Amino acid sequence: MSEVYNERIDKIISAMGLMSRKDCSRAARNGRITVNGTVTKFADIKITNNDVLCLDGEQIIYSKYMYVLLNKPEGYVCAAEDGRYPTVFELLPKNYLNLGLFTVGRLDMNTTGVLIITNDGELSHKLLSPKNKVIKTYRAITKFPVSEEDIRVAAQGMQLDDGETARPAEITAVDDHTYDIKVFEGKFHLIKRIFLALHNQVRELERIDFAGIDCQDLEKGEWRFLEEQEINVLKEAVTR
Ligand code: URA
């Protein structure tokens, strides 16, 4: 989940918004901090990824960059704050709110599935850049069956109802109301607009793959850190 680091304990704990550096020094003096199971009275010592840091017996997971994979449930918005609806960040532990995390792109409130949340701005920017043509696959349940002709039209790139153009998209039938659609760009409401332009309607939408990452092991609303190998998959997706 993390980049390699070698960082002071008080910096780690304060960067996570758990307490100030001063309070951290006090906590250490009071025996509340352990490294690899041993109490340390000094909060200014440096530790690495390989050390297990605990405050009051709770392990503190820290990295310069965090990469979280969420299986987004319906009813949550991809925004830092929203006056009306719960945000996807409310599904993460509270102390993660201070880490500068954001979603890599957005899913609509009623769209479910793969959502990556990180504080790695550079990687996020690359994943969203149209020039990298990062592949996203959605599973759509549609109102009507999709014809072979519709599939051909989408595969050639098509005009959307508001005049904007969608780049070629690959539609594969799962059954006569369920379709996987692979796109190489990230326009607002893209999938719903493609089906609308095909005189159809999306009833349910799930993102089943983002740049080679899926979340089949997670229930809706569950999250986990991306594994090192998965972070590499994302990095490779933007260097091809
Ligand atoms: N396309 C949509 O229409 N909605 C999403 O949430 C993502 C892609």
Side-chain angles (χ1 to χ4, degrees):
M1 63 153 277
S2 61
E3 300 272 308
V4 174
Y5 67 84
N6 182 25
E7 206 67 87
R8 282 169 58 138
I9 291 175
D10 54 359
K11 188 168 170 227
I12 292 173
I13 291 181
S14 67
M16 292 192 68
L18 297 175
M19 58 175 71
S20 68
R21 286 196 192 193
K22 203 166 144 208
D23 286 345
C24 195
S25 299
R26 192 173 306 126
R29 281 197 303 277
N30 291 338
R32 294 169 58 197
I33 296 176
T34 59
V35 176
N36 304 322
T38 305
V39 170
T40 172
K41 296 276 181 177
F42 304 101
D44 58 353
I45 59 166
K46 287 188 169 182
I47 60 166
T48 73
N49 307 44
N50 298 322
D51 295 311
V52 176
L53 173 65
C54 293
L55 172 65
D56 296 330
E58 293 260 336
Q59 189 178 352
I60 293 175
I61 313 263
Y62 171 80
S63 64
K64 183 172 174 208
Y65 293 127
M66 284 176 89
Y67 304 91
V68 167
L69 172 63
L70 172 71
N71 187 348
K72 181 189 171 297
E74 266 191 79
Y76 286 79
V77 291
C78 293
E81 275 179 54
D82 191 280
R84 285 198 296 166
Y85 301 107
T87 77
V88 289
F89 295 100
E90 292 173 37
L91 296 162
L92 304 181
K94 271 207 175 57
N95 58 349
Y96 289 8
L97 295 179
N98 305 307
L99 301 176
L101 294 171
F102 44 82
T103 62
V104 179
R106 288 177 180 216
L107 291 176
D108 298 338
M109 189 163 86
N110 56 1
T111 302
T112 63
V114 181
L115 184 68
I116 290 164
I117 298 176
T118 184
N119 50 4
D120 184 344
E122 191 183 335
L123 181 61
S124 171
H125 179 75
K126 288 181 181 164
L127 288 165
L128 297 175
S129 168
K131 92 172 184 333
N132 287 321
K133 298 195 178 112
V134 165
I135 306 172
K136 282 144 268 188
T137 309
Y138 293 83
R139 179 155 294 177
I141 300 191
T142 57
K143 184 168 180 188
F144 308 112
V146 172
S147 67
E148 287 300 320
E149 177 57 16
D150 290 340
I151 291 176
R152 267 195 297 278
V153 169
Q156 281 159 14
M158 59 188 292
Q159 198 160 6
L160 302 173
D161 286 351
D162 53 10
E164 215 181 335
T165 307
R167 288 187 187 165
E170 294 171 22
I171 301 180
T172 325
V174 177
D175 62 42
D176 62 5
H177 283 276
T178 311
Y179 297 88
D180 286 351
I181 171 163
K182 204 180 264 191
V183 290
F184 305 82
E185 58 181 332
K187 292 196 170 85
F188 184 62
H189 291 334
L190 178 63
I191 305 300
K192 290 173 189 159
R193 288 158 73 204
I194 288 175
F195 282 101
L196 270 183
L198 295 171
H199 310 291
N200 207 327
Q201 217 172 296
V202 172
R203 295 258 205 234
E204 276 177 42
L205 190 61
E206 178 180 16
R207 183 154 66 189
I208 56 175
D209 190 290
F210 180 94
I213 305 297
D214 69 59
C215 60
Q216 285 177 35
D217 59 324
L218 298 174
E219 298 292 330
K220 296 272 178 294
E222 274 187 351
W223 66 275
R224 64 172 169 83
F225 291 115
L226 283 182
E227 288 166 14
E228 212 68 57
Q229 162 266 332
E230 291 174 310
I231 298 167
N232 289 335
V233 166
L234 291 181
K235 291 183 176 165
E236 274 162 28
V238 295
T239 49
R240 265 181 281 124

